[in-house]
Amino acid sequence: MLLGLIPALAQAQTSEKAAIAGDPAAAPQQLALVDLPKATGPALELFNGRDLADWEAWLGYADPALTYKRPPIAPLGTSVDTNQAFSVVTEDGAPALRVEGKTWGSLVHKADLRDYRLSLEYKWGDQVWAPRLTEPQNNGLLFHSHGNPGVVWGTWMAAVEFEIMLGSTGMIVPVGDNIRARTFVAQDKTILYPHRRFRLGGRTIDVTNNGNPDWNVENAVDAEKPVGQWNRLDLYAVGDQAIFVVNGVPVMALTDLAELDSTGRRVPLTHGRIQLQSEGAETFFRAIKLEPIKAMPRLIQK
Protein backbone atom coordinates (compact mmCIF):
# COMPACT_ATOMS: atom_id res chain seq x y z
CA MET A 1 0.00 0.00 0.00
CA LEU A 2 2.79 2.43 0.93
CA LEU A 3 4.65 1.71 -2.33
CA GLY A 4 1.51 2.61 -4.24
CA LEU A 5 1.35 5.97 -2.48
CA ILE A 6 4.92 7.01 -3.25
CA PRO A 7 4.27 8.25 -6.83
CA ALA A 8 1.22 10.23 -5.68
CA LEU A 9 3.18 11.82 -2.83
CA ALA A 10 6.05 12.72 -5.13
CA GLN A 11 3.61 14.25 -7.61
CA ALA A 12 1.96 16.31 -4.85
CA GLN A 13 5.33 17.59 -3.62
CA THR A 14 6.36 18.51 -7.16
CA SER A 15 3.08 20.35 -7.65
CA GLU A 16 3.54 22.28 -4.40
CA LYS A 17 7.07 23.30 -5.32
CA ALA A 18 5.85 24.45 -8.72
CA ALA A 19 3.09 26.50 -7.08
CA ILE A 20 5.53 28.56 -5.02
CA ALA A 21 8.24 28.71 -7.68
CA GLY A 22 6.58 31.75 -9.24
CA ASP A 23 6.63 33.77 -6.03
CA PRO A 24 8.93 36.80 -6.23
CA ALA A 25 11.76 37.00 -3.72
CA ALA A 26 10.93 38.77 -0.48
CA ALA A 27 12.61 42.09 0.28
CA PRO A 28 12.08 44.45 3.21
CA GLN A 29 9.27 46.97 2.83
CA GLN A 30 8.29 49.91 5.01
CA LEU A 31 4.50 49.99 4.88
CA ALA A 32 2.19 52.73 6.09
CA LEU A 33 -1.50 53.53 6.17
CA VAL A 34 -2.82 56.77 4.69
CA ASP A 35 -6.30 58.21 4.27
CA LEU A 36 -7.34 56.85 7.66
CA PRO A 37 -11.15 56.75 7.90
CA LYS A 38 -13.00 58.69 10.56
CA ALA A 39 -15.46 56.95 12.85
CA THR A 40 -19.04 57.25 11.62
CA GLY A 41 -20.60 56.73 15.05
CA PRO A 42 -19.88 56.14 18.72
CA ALA A 43 -17.37 53.50 19.77
CA LEU A 44 -18.56 50.16 21.18
CA GLU A 45 -16.69 48.65 24.14
CA LEU A 46 -16.71 44.89 23.56
CA PHE A 47 -15.23 44.17 26.99
CA ASN A 48 -16.98 45.99 29.84
CA GLY A 49 -14.19 45.34 32.35
CA ARG A 50 -16.55 43.66 34.83
CA ASP A 51 -17.80 40.35 33.45
CA LEU A 52 -18.27 38.27 30.31
CA ALA A 53 -21.98 38.99 29.90
CA ASP A 54 -21.45 40.02 26.27
CA TRP A 55 -19.53 36.85 25.39
CA GLU A 56 -20.26 33.14 24.94
CA ALA A 57 -17.72 30.41 25.66
CA TRP A 58 -17.12 27.20 23.72
CA LEU A 59 -14.55 24.50 24.44
CA GLY A 60 -13.17 21.85 22.09
CA TYR A 61 -11.82 18.46 23.15
CA ALA A 62 -10.61 17.65 26.67
CA ASP A 63 -7.37 16.55 24.99
CA PRO A 64 -6.38 19.34 22.56
CA ALA A 65 -4.07 16.92 20.73
CA LEU A 66 -7.23 15.48 19.13
CA THR A 67 -8.24 18.79 17.56
CA TYR A 68 -6.93 18.29 14.03
CA LYS A 69 -7.66 14.55 13.96
CA ARG A 70 -11.44 14.94 13.62
CA PRO A 71 -12.14 12.31 16.31
CA PRO A 72 -15.52 10.50 16.44
CA ILE A 73 -16.31 11.99 19.86
CA ALA A 74 -18.14 15.13 20.85
CA PRO A 75 -16.25 18.24 21.98
CA LEU A 76 -16.89 19.65 25.43
CA GLY A 77 -18.82 22.59 24.01
CA THR A 78 -20.86 24.18 26.78
CA SER A 79 -21.30 20.98 28.80
CA VAL A 80 -18.64 21.95 31.36
CA ASP A 81 -17.83 24.96 33.51
CA THR A 82 -15.86 27.45 31.38
CA ASN A 83 -15.04 29.92 34.17
CA GLN A 84 -11.48 28.64 34.47
CA ALA A 85 -10.89 28.80 30.73
CA PHE A 86 -12.15 32.40 30.38
CA SER A 87 -12.30 34.91 33.22
CA VAL A 88 -12.01 38.56 34.20
CA VAL A 89 -8.93 39.38 36.30
CA THR A 90 -6.88 42.36 37.40
CA GLU A 91 -3.62 42.56 35.46
CA ASP A 92 -1.16 45.43 35.80
CA GLY A 93 -3.69 47.26 37.96
CA ALA A 94 -6.57 47.16 35.46
CA PRO A 95 -9.33 44.76 34.37
CA ALA A 96 -8.34 42.23 31.72
CA LEU A 97 -9.92 39.25 30.05
CA ARG A 98 -7.83 36.13 30.75
CA VAL A 99 -7.72 33.19 28.37
CA GLU A 100 -6.18 30.27 30.23
CA GLY A 101 -5.21 28.32 27.10
CA LYS A 102 -5.19 24.83 28.60
CA THR A 103 -8.35 23.64 26.83
CA TRP A 104 -8.69 24.85 23.25
CA GLY A 105 -11.80 26.76 22.29
CA SER A 106 -13.03 30.30 21.92
CA LEU A 107 -14.78 33.17 23.62
CA VAL A 108 -17.30 34.56 21.14
CA HIS A 109 -18.78 38.06 21.30
CA LYS A 110 -22.55 38.03 20.86
CA ALA A 111 -22.83 40.85 18.31
CA ASP A 112 -22.84 40.42 14.53
CA LEU A 113 -20.43 43.14 13.40
CA ARG A 114 -19.52 44.76 10.08
CA ASP A 115 -17.54 47.76 8.76
CA TYR A 116 -15.31 48.65 11.68
CA ARG A 117 -11.92 49.36 13.12
CA LEU A 118 -11.38 46.97 16.01
CA SER A 119 -8.58 47.67 18.47
CA LEU A 120 -7.39 45.66 21.46
CA GLU A 121 -4.34 45.12 23.63
CA TYR A 122 -2.92 41.72 24.53
CA LYS A 123 0.07 40.24 26.31
CA TRP A 124 1.29 36.72 26.96
CA GLY A 125 1.00 35.13 30.39
CA ASP A 126 3.43 32.65 31.93
CA GLN A 127 1.57 29.42 31.26
CA VAL A 128 1.92 27.26 28.14
CA TRP A 129 0.12 23.94 27.83
CA ALA A 130 0.47 20.66 25.95
CA PRO A 131 0.57 19.93 23.08
CA ARG A 132 2.23 23.31 22.39
CA LEU A 133 4.93 23.13 25.07
CA THR A 134 7.77 23.32 22.54
CA GLU A 135 6.06 25.72 20.12
CA PRO A 136 5.68 29.53 20.14
CA GLN A 137 2.81 30.92 22.21
CA ASN A 138 -0.31 30.74 20.05
CA ASN A 139 -3.70 32.42 20.08
CA GLY A 140 -5.82 34.32 17.61
CA LEU A 141 -8.33 37.06 16.88
CA LEU A 142 -10.98 35.49 14.65
CA PHE A 143 -13.38 37.81 12.81
CA HIS A 144 -16.39 37.46 10.50
CA SER A 145 -17.16 34.33 12.56
CA HIS A 146 -20.39 32.63 11.57
CA GLY A 147 -22.26 29.33 11.64
CA ASN A 148 -22.40 26.89 14.53
CA PRO A 149 -19.87 26.86 17.38
CA GLY A 150 -17.34 24.08 17.01
CA VAL A 151 -18.07 23.47 13.31
CA VAL A 152 -14.32 23.77 12.61
CA TRP A 153 -12.46 20.84 14.22
CA GLY A 154 -15.01 20.76 17.04
CA THR A 155 -13.37 23.87 18.47
CA TRP A 156 -14.07 27.11 16.56
CA MET A 157 -16.65 28.82 14.38
CA ALA A 158 -15.75 29.35 10.72
CA ALA A 159 -13.87 32.65 10.43
CA VAL A 160 -10.86 34.58 9.16
CA GLU A 161 -7.93 34.61 11.60
CA PHE A 162 -5.71 37.52 12.56
CA GLU A 163 -3.04 35.24 14.00
CA ILE A 164 -1.60 36.06 17.42
CA MET A 165 1.52 33.92 17.69
CA LEU A 166 4.96 34.76 18.96
CA GLY A 167 6.95 35.85 15.91
CA SER A 168 3.97 35.52 13.55
CA THR A 169 1.38 37.98 14.84
CA GLY A 170 -0.49 39.27 11.81
CA MET A 171 -0.36 36.03 9.82
CA ILE A 172 -3.56 35.20 7.89
CA VAL A 173 -5.12 31.76 8.43
CA PRO A 174 -8.53 30.69 7.05
CA VAL A 175 -10.49 28.91 9.80
CA GLY A 176 -12.65 26.43 7.93
CA ASP A 177 -12.36 24.46 4.71
CA ASN A 178 -14.52 26.88 2.72
CA ILE A 179 -13.00 30.20 3.83
CA ARG A 180 -11.06 32.18 1.22
CA ALA A 181 -8.99 35.39 1.16
CA ARG A 182 -6.75 36.99 -1.46
CA THR A 183 -3.45 38.67 -0.67
CA PHE A 184 0.03 39.42 -2.05
CA VAL A 185 3.01 37.18 -1.33
CA ALA A 186 6.75 36.87 -1.81
CA GLN A 187 9.03 33.91 -1.08
CA ASP A 188 11.08 34.11 2.10
CA LYS A 189 13.20 31.00 2.68
CA THR A 190 14.02 32.11 6.25
CA ILE A 191 10.51 31.15 7.40
CA LEU A 192 8.81 27.77 7.51
CA TYR A 193 7.25 26.17 4.46
CA PRO A 194 5.43 27.37 2.38
CA HIS A 195 7.89 30.29 2.77
CA ARG A 196 5.22 32.87 1.92
CA ARG A 197 5.33 36.34 3.43
CA PHE A 198 3.02 39.28 2.74
CA ARG A 199 4.55 41.74 0.29
CA LEU A 200 2.63 44.67 -1.18
CA GLY A 201 2.68 44.32 -4.95
CA GLY A 202 3.79 40.67 -4.80
CA ARG A 203 2.13 37.67 -6.37
CA THR A 204 -1.63 37.45 -5.80
CA ILE A 205 -2.82 34.17 -4.28
CA ASP A 206 -6.01 32.79 -2.85
CA VAL A 207 -5.43 31.67 0.74
CA THR A 208 -7.28 28.43 1.53
CA ASN A 209 -7.27 25.82 4.27
CA ASN A 210 -7.31 22.88 1.88
CA GLY A 211 -3.63 22.05 2.23
CA ASN A 212 -0.27 23.39 1.17
CA PRO A 213 1.02 25.66 -0.16
CA ASP A 214 -1.80 28.19 0.33
CA TRP A 215 -2.91 27.55 3.90
CA ASN A 216 -1.28 30.62 5.42
CA VAL A 217 0.71 33.76 4.67
CA GLU A 218 3.20 35.18 7.18
CA ASN A 219 3.13 38.80 8.35
CA ALA A 220 5.10 41.41 6.38
CA VAL A 221 7.33 41.95 9.43
CA ASP A 222 7.36 40.86 13.06
CA ALA A 223 6.23 43.97 14.97
CA GLU A 224 5.43 42.28 18.29
CA LYS A 225 6.98 43.50 21.54
CA PRO A 226 8.93 41.18 23.89
CA VAL A 227 6.94 38.67 25.96
CA GLY A 228 5.44 40.31 29.04
CA GLN A 229 4.71 43.64 27.37
CA TRP A 230 1.32 44.76 26.08
CA ASN A 231 0.79 44.82 22.32
CA ARG A 232 -1.85 46.70 20.37
CA LEU A 233 -3.73 45.20 17.42
CA ASP A 234 -5.88 47.14 14.97
CA LEU A 235 -8.16 45.34 12.54
CA TYR A 236 -9.77 47.31 9.72
CA ALA A 237 -12.64 45.37 8.13
CA VAL A 238 -14.97 46.95 5.58
CA GLY A 239 -16.97 44.88 3.13
CA ASP A 240 -14.84 41.95 2.01
CA GLN A 241 -11.52 43.65 2.75
CA ALA A 242 -9.30 43.72 5.85
CA ILE A 243 -5.97 45.14 7.04
CA PHE A 244 -4.02 43.90 10.08
CA VAL A 245 -1.90 46.34 12.12
CA VAL A 246 0.47 45.34 14.97
CA ASN A 247 1.76 48.07 17.29
CA GLY A 248 1.09 50.68 14.61
CA VAL A 249 2.80 48.70 11.83
CA PRO A 250 0.64 47.40 8.92
CA VAL A 251 1.53 43.72 8.36
CA MET A 252 -1.26 42.22 6.20
CA ALA A 253 -3.88 43.30 3.66
CA LEU A 254 -6.69 41.07 2.38
CA THR A 255 -9.31 41.36 -0.33
CA ASP A 256 -12.13 39.15 -1.58
CA LEU A 257 -12.90 37.56 1.78
CA ALA A 258 -15.41 34.85 0.98
CA GLU A 259 -16.94 31.52 1.82
CA LEU A 260 -17.73 28.83 -0.74
CA ASP A 261 -21.36 27.72 -0.79
CA SER A 262 -22.55 24.17 -1.45
CA THR A 263 -22.08 24.66 -5.20
CA GLY A 264 -18.54 26.01 -4.83
CA ARG A 265 -19.64 29.57 -5.59
CA ARG A 266 -17.77 32.37 -3.79
CA VAL A 267 -20.03 34.32 -1.43
CA PRO A 268 -18.51 37.56 -0.04
CA LEU A 269 -17.77 37.42 3.68
CA THR A 270 -18.53 40.88 5.07
CA HIS A 271 -19.70 40.48 8.68
CA GLY A 272 -19.82 38.17 11.65
CA ARG A 273 -18.82 37.71 15.27
CA ILE A 274 -15.48 38.14 17.04
CA GLN A 275 -13.75 35.11 18.61
CA LEU A 276 -10.80 35.19 20.97
CA GLN A 277 -9.06 31.84 20.67
CA SER A 278 -7.78 29.58 23.37
CA GLU A 279 -4.97 27.57 21.83
CA GLY A 280 -2.35 26.51 24.32
CA ALA A 281 -1.02 29.74 25.85
CA GLU A 282 -2.23 31.97 28.66
CA THR A 283 -3.15 35.35 27.17
CA PHE A 284 -4.57 38.59 28.57
CA PHE A 285 -6.77 40.99 26.60
CA ARG A 286 -7.97 44.49 27.43
CA ALA A 287 -9.26 47.71 25.82
CA ILE A 288 -11.32 45.82 23.23
CA LYS A 289 -13.06 48.59 21.30
CA LEU A 290 -14.86 48.89 17.98
CA GLU A 291 -15.38 52.05 15.92
CA PRO A 292 -17.77 51.99 12.93
CA ILE A 293 -16.19 53.11 9.63
CA LYS A 294 -17.38 53.16 6.01
CA ALA A 295 -14.06 53.17 4.13
CA MET A 296 -10.75 51.35 4.29
CA PRO A 297 -7.43 53.15 4.79
CA ARG A 298 -4.94 52.92 1.93
CA LEU A 299 -1.81 50.80 2.30
CA ILE A 300 1.34 52.23 0.73
CA GLN A 301 5.06 51.55 0.66
CA LYS A 302 7.07 54.41 2.12
Side-chain angles (χ1 to χ4, degrees):
M1 181 65 71
L2 181 58
L3 289 176
L5 288 174
I6 289 176
L9 290 172
Q11 184 177 6
Q13 291 171 353
T14 300
S15 177
E16 289 175 8
K17 290 178 180 178
I20 65 174
D23 294 353
Q29 286 185 321
Q30 279 193 302
L31 302 177
L33 293 182
V34 297
D35 303 331
L36 297 178
K38 294 183 179 179
T40 59
L44 173 65
E45 299 286 349
L46 299 189
F47 172 48
N48 63 24
R50 301 183 304 275
D51 54 41
L52 301 179
D54 298 325
W55 301 78
E56 297 174 340
W58 177 273
L59 294 177
Y61 301 103
D63 179 3
L66 298 176
T67 304
Y68 299 114
K69 298 179 180 179
R70 305 177 190 265
I73 58 174
L76 297 172
T78 58
S79 67
V80 296
D81 186 354
T82 61
N83 289 328
Q84 182 65 30
F86 307 105
S87 58
V88 177
V89 299
T90 298
E91 183 70 14
D92 295 334
L97 193 162
R98 177 180 179 263
V99 175
E100 182 188 38
K102 183 177 182 179
T103 305
W104 292 11
S106 62
L107 193 62
V108 190
H109 195 269
K110 294 179 179 179
D112 189 324
L113 304 166
R114 68 169 68 233
D115 299 342
Y116 55 77
R117 173 185 180 178
L118 174 68
S119 60
L120 63 78
E121 295 179 355
Y122 80 92
K123 78 167 187 175
W124 300 112
D126 296 328
Q127 295 179 302
V128 181
W129 308 92
R132 295 219 185 268
L133 291 173
T134 60
E135 300 176 14
Q137 286 98 318
N138 196 324
N139 207 307
L141 166 61
L142 278 55
F143 64 102
H144 291 352
S145 307
H146 57 282
N148 294 325
V151 72
V152 180
W153 303 306
T155 307
W156 301 294
M157 298 172 71
V160 182
E161 181 171 1
F162 184 150
E163 180 74 83
I164 303 173
M165 184 167 71
L166 192 63
S168 296
T169 296
M171 176 193 288
I172 163 64
V173 180
V175 181
D177 293 342
N178 293 324
I179 302 298
R180 299 289 185 272
R182 290 196 174 106
T183 191
F184 301 109
V185 302
Q187 190 170 129
D188 182 352
K189 289 296 184 65
T190 68
I191 59 177
L192 295 176
Y193 183 87
H195 317 304
R196 284 180 152 169
R197 186 181 292 282
F198 175 79
R199 178 174 172 79
L200 187 63
R203 183 184 186 182
T204 302
I205 69 164
D206 206 22
V207 190
T208 77
N209 205 10
N210 291 0
N212 290 328
D214 302 322
W215 74 273
N216 79 329
V217 175
E218 185 61 88
N219 54 25
V221 64
D222 179 17
E224 189 177 12
K225 296 178 182 178
V227 172
Q229 296 185 29
W230 289 96
N231 296 271
R232 174 174 170 134
L233 304 185
D234 289 279
L235 165 64
Y236 292 87
V238 176
D240 62 354
Q241 302 179 59
I243 290 176
F244 301 171
V245 182
V246 180
N247 293 319
V249 179
V251 298
M252 181 65 61
L254 307 171
T255 63
D256 300 293
L257 299 176
E259 183 172 34
L260 302 186
D261 67 13
S262 58
T263 69
R265 182 175 64 95
R266 238 184 139 99
V267 179
L269 193 54
T270 60
H271 65 96
R273 300 167 70 181
I274 298 296
Q275 298 180 81
L276 299 177
Q277 273 189 319
S278 171
E279 198 177 349
E282 181 185 31
T283 317
F284 298 94
F285 295 92
R286 69 183 186 186
I288 310 173
K289 183 174 70 173
L290 181 144
E291 293 180 338
I293 56 176
K294 292 299 182 184
M296 289 288 287
R298 189 160 53 92
L299 181 63
I300 65 168
Q301 182 177 354
K302 291 183 182 179

